[in-house]
Amino acid sequence: MSETKPNRRRIYLMRHGSVTYFDANGHPYLPESVPLNNHGRKQATAAGAVFAAENLHFDRVIVSGLPRTVETATLVLAE
């Protein structure tokens, strides 16, 4: 009798990449409007490259909808 292994599911939790919450004068941006900064974009792309190198494919991606989370997920998945 051949035994089949069950499909394993994994959950990957990520935080968004680096952001800049304050302008050059120290005034805060609206938290719900803050996108990734250049470093954060590089971080997200690097994370995506690691997932791609491991040949990982995602069935579902869930984000909060904030610009920084959407941008992070988009860059990760683009790799």
Side-chain angles (χ1 to χ4, degrees):
M1 179 175 358
S2 174
E3 188 175 315
T4 60
K5 293 182 179 180
N7 287 336
R8 292 181 68 173
R9 296 280 187 184
R10 295 184 190 263
I11 297 174
Y12 294 90
L13 299 176
M14 291 184 64
R15 188 175 191 275
H16 58 77
S18 182
V19 298
T20 303
Y21 289 109
F22 299 92
D23 67 18
N25 296 320
H27 297 106
Y29 293 113
L30 287 175
E32 41 294 323
S33 69
V34 177
L36 297 178
N37 58 30
N38 287 334
H39 184 63
R41 288 183 195 94
K42 289 177 185 175
Q43 290 172 323
T45 299
V50 171
F51 288 130
E54 293 296 320
N55 202 29
L56 290 173
H57 301 279
F58 296 95
D59 296 327
R60 182 173 297 153
V61 175
I62 300 170
V63 299
S64 69
L66 294 170
R68 57 192 170 270
T69 64
V70 172
E71 190 175 7
T72 299
T74 300
L75 290 170
V76 167
L77 295 174
E79 294 296 314

